[in-house]
Amino acid sequence: MAIDFKEELKNMNIENMGKQHFFIQTYGCQMNEEDSEKLSGMLKRVGYTKTEVLEEAGIIIYNTCCVRENAENKVFGNLGELKHLKKKNPDLIIAVCGCMMQQEGMADKILKKFPHVNIIFGTHNAYKFPEYLNRVRTEGVQVKEIFNKETDIVEGVPIDRQSDVKAFVTIMYGCNNFCTYCVVPYVRGRERSRKSDDIINEIKDLVGKGYKEITLLGQNVNSYGKELEENIDFAKLLRKINEVDGIERVRFMTSHPKDLNKDVILAIKECDKLCEQIHLPVQSGSDKILKKMNRHYTKEYYLELVDMIKKEIPDVSLTTDIIVGFPGETEEDFLETLDLVERVGYDSAFTFIYSRRNNTPADMMLNQVPDADKHHRFDRLIKAVNDGVIRSNKVYEGKVVEVLVEGPSKNDETKLTGRTRNGKLVNFVGENIKAGDLVNVKIVRAQPFSLIGEV
Ligand code: 5AD
Ligand code: SF4
């Protein structure tokens, strides 16, 4: 049974919350971004207004990430700086939430180091934020509440989306994979899927509001539906979504190579709205390291999967995540990764230096790689990835592509910006075009991170 946010809100006894501006800073992945859209949605529901100006806010929220150490350090740095704001404005309410709070001992560490923080909550009880806020406001207490286990899925939380054209739709929460470097299964709990009707209804609602593109989110979308009573899996869900009238484009992330199957690849091939883009994190090209990472596939398996995808979906763009410097990674292991990057020719890649995370198996492994080696490999990896990206972008010169317009370009106001079906960023010149339009653009020049074109 899902938790109904509307019922929850009734029980929160929230009346007359006053008028306030709030500021949200989000760290980390798309999941966190979507969570922040929900925090923002709840605050707007109780009558508050969003601001992008920190100094203007009566409520400041940090939605944190703990996947790598540098994400945590940023939060610590920014929380320290808020001391001055709080001195100037003692009524300022500071809330810290998200993945970092789910780590053992972290909430207490933060309250000790930053006593000016008023509210701390975790990933599983974010829907209770209005109640916590009310308690701080009316009783003047400090609130620290973290559920150490996942709850049922919460439906009906209002979402204040960042874009009017494209939207995130979460289809499942949590992860069961326990890759040995990763904290996500510990801070996000076990896999839970939303009912397909709830997902479809959300998408229909988005169509009604004029949205053209949706990105389905989940840590491991390929295991969607496994624990649901209904007869559904990810490929079936994709085909069902493809039937919704009015939506133009559907993307999804993230796929695990061990679980991405032919049914999903064929769904992309056969359904007109499913975009030709797959985010397929490989993490490493060395079988030895993949095994130590608990990834359940080999380099050869991954390359065969890539071949099959490219054969079935010729225009596909492939993106990935790669970690360098995992414990025990030798120069030979790293060369296997470089070789794989070269052979796949990614359209883009998120590259990471391995970061030790408390209580994960990899943190306990011997042979941690020295920092200097990690950085040296990282620089070479970025170069290899970029060479591939430039090669894959060059192919577009002279071609005509369909672009979903997102608005004026941030860097160059004379141009519009949008993406191709397979996710390439295009900046282009055109008249009488608005956000949400689909236009055909001729690519005149390929740049490393974008394509330049004209209508
Ligand atoms: N160190 C470095 N990168 C990590 N990732 C997850 N955990 C770590 C870690 N401890 C990366 C993986 C994952 C992406 C979201 O973050 O590549 O796919
Ligand atoms: Fe982390 Fe692995 Fe789950 Fe991805 S699949 S969230 S890397 S444990």
Side-chain angles (χ1 to χ4, degrees):
M1 269 291 282
I3 297 172
D4 181 358
F5 177 74
K6 288 182 195 93
E7 289 300 315
E8 290 288 319
L9 194 61
K10 276 186 210 154
N11 298 332
M12 284 185 202
N13 278 331
I14 291 172
E15 278 160 34
N16 193 13
M17 290 279 278
K19 293 266 172 279
Q20 281 288 9
H21 282 89
F22 66 91
F23 173 96
I24 299 192
Q25 172 88 45
T26 311
Y27 305 84
C29 66
Q30 282 85 357
M31 282 283 188
N32 267 19
E33 276 177 40
E34 215 253 10
D35 285 348
S36 286
E37 291 182 342
K38 287 182 179 157
L39 294 170
S40 178
M42 289 190 281
L43 292 188
K44 284 194 171 173
R45 175 63 55 87
V46 298
Y48 291 173
T49 315
K50 192 171 173 180
T51 173
E52 305 294 333
V53 186
L54 189 73
E55 288 74 15
E56 200 178 87
I59 303 162
I60 296 175
I61 305 137
Y62 285 159
N63 188 8
T64 64
C65 165
C66 58
V67 164
R68 284 168 294 276
E69 194 183 0
N70 52 8
E72 288 189 348
N73 289 340
K74 272 188 225 154
V75 174
F76 289 134
N78 289 348
L79 275 175
E81 281 167 25
L82 290 188
K83 248 183 218 155
H84 310 294
L85 276 184
K86 185 90 175 187
K87 237 188 208 143
K88 264 198 256 165
N89 172 14
D91 292 335
L92 175 68
I93 295 178
I94 300 172
V96 190
C97 61
C99 294
M100 234 173 123
M101 301 307 109
Q102 292 294 143
Q103 289 178 300
E104 218 180 296
M106 183 57 81
D108 290 331
K109 183 172 163 184
I110 287 192
L111 288 179
K112 197 160 165 219
K113 235 175 142 174
F114 308 103
H116 52 285
V117 168
N118 304 83
I119 309 177
I120 287 194
F121 56 95
T123 55
H124 304 308
N125 57 336
Y127 67 101
K128 288 183 172 280
F129 184 36
E131 178 188 319
Y132 301 149
L133 206 52
N134 197 31
R135 256 163 57 195
V136 172
R137 253 175 25 89
T138 55
E139 298 165 33
V141 292
Q142 198 173 44
V143 175
K144 181 191 99 177
E145 196 162 298
I146 294 154
F147 295 178
N148 55 19
K149 219 181 135 6
E150 59 274 14
T151 61
D152 287 335
I153 285 178
V154 187
E155 291 290 352
V157 177
I159 309 180
D160 173 35
R161 302 186 193 270
Q162 281 178 30
S163 158
D164 298 327
V165 177
K166 47 186 201 174
F168 293 129
V169 174
T170 300
I171 61 165
M172 62 184 297
Y173 299 87
C175 180
N176 291 354
N177 283 323
F178 291 95
C179 303
T180 53
Y181 49 82
C182 186
V183 291
V184 168
Y186 307 94
V187 299
R188 289 268 176 187
R190 296 294 69 72
E191 289 174 0
R192 289 89 80 203
S193 302
R194 290 177 72 193
K195 283 197 201 125
S196 68
D197 283 349
D198 289 331
I199 297 170
I200 298 287
N201 286 338
E202 183 175 340
I203 296 172
K204 285 184 178 160
D205 183 55
L206 287 165
V207 172
K209 292 179 173 139
Y211 282 85
K212 297 285 177 352
E213 176 177 313
I214 53 165
T215 301
L216 308 174
L217 292 183
Q219 249 83 34
N220 183 18
V221 288
N222 305 105
S223 47
Y224 170 79
K226 280 198 177 139
E227 14 53 72
L228 286 178
E229 277 170 18
E230 54 182 313
N231 171 22
I232 195 146
D233 60 15
F234 186 52
K236 285 185 188 145
L237 178 74
L238 287 174
R239 288 184 188 272
K240 219 168 151 175
I241 292 173
N242 192 58
E243 297 299 312
V244 178
D245 279 339
I247 208 80
E248 301 281 354
R249 291 176 170 190
V250 180
R251 309 181 190 283
F252 57 84
M253 66 191 307
T254 292
S255 291
H256 194 303
K258 78 175 163 58
D259 295 321
L260 178 72
N261 59 25
K262 187 134 190 193
D263 287 348
V264 171
I265 296 167
L266 290 179
I268 300 176
K269 179 181 173 175
E270 290 161 14
C271 299
D272 56 335
K273 290 166 189 168
L274 301 189
C275 290
E276 297 77 10
Q277 178 189 20
I278 302 182
H279 185 60
L280 198 60
V282 67
Q283 313 297 0
S284 169
S286 151
D287 289 348
K288 179 190 95 192
I289 297 298
L290 286 170
K291 193 154 199 215
K292 289 180 76 178
M293 287 177 160
N294 193 33
R295 292 289 291 177
H296 298 281
Y297 54 86
T298 60
K299 179 184 185 184
E300 191 189 344
Y301 180 87
Y302 185 92
L303 287 171
E304 280 172 9
L305 184 63
V306 165
D307 278 347
M308 197 234 292
I309 295 171
K310 286 184 176 175
K311 198 173 128 244
E312 297 292 350
I313 315 165
D315 285 340
V316 74
S317 105
L318 286 170
T319 60
T320 199
D321 296 345
I322 303 170
I323 299 175
V324 294
F326 185 84
E329 184 189 73
T330 61
E331 176 66 16
E332 287 70 42
D333 294 317
F334 174 67
L335 290 177
E336 294 283 355
T337 302
L338 281 189
D339 175 61
L340 179 133
V341 165
E342 184 134 314
R343 282 162 75 177
V344 176
Y346 289 107
D347 293 88
S348 95
F350 298 102
T351 48
F352 306 108
I353 291 176
Y354 168 69
S355 169
R356 291 178 81 159
R357 304 282 68 208
N358 247 345
N359 299 324
T360 56
D363 186 36
M364 266 83 89
M365 287 180 191
L366 301 173
N367 303 325
Q368 297 286 332
V369 176
D371 277 351
D373 290 349
K374 284 184 185 169
H375 286 277
H376 183 48
R377 287 176 200 164
F378 186 64
D379 293 344
R380 285 146 73 205
L381 177 65
I382 289 184
K383 187 169 178 316
V385 166
N386 287 349
D387 287 350
V389 174
I390 291 169
R391 255 186 289 140
S392 80
N393 282 358
K394 275 272 172 218
V395 174
Y396 287 85
E397 283 184 354
K399 281 195 180 170
V400 175
V401 290
E402 183 201 80
V403 174
L404 175 62
V405 184
E406 287 172 26
S409 162
K410 279 194 191 110
N411 302 326
D412 178 356
E413 293 255 319
T414 63
K415 291 201 175 76
L416 291 156
T417 192
R419 286 188 189 265
T420 62
R421 276 181 64 94
N422 62 10
K424 298 269 180 196
L425 186 69
V426 183
N427 293 313
F428 63 99
V429 203
E431 276 169 20
N432 299 327
I433 295 165
K434 57 183 188 321
D437 287 351
L438 281 169
V439 291
N440 287 324
V441 175
K442 181 164 183 185
I443 302 305
V444 290
R445 192 155 41 88
Q447 295 190 325
F449 301 106
S450 63
L451 304 171
I452 306 295
E454 53 200 31
V455 172

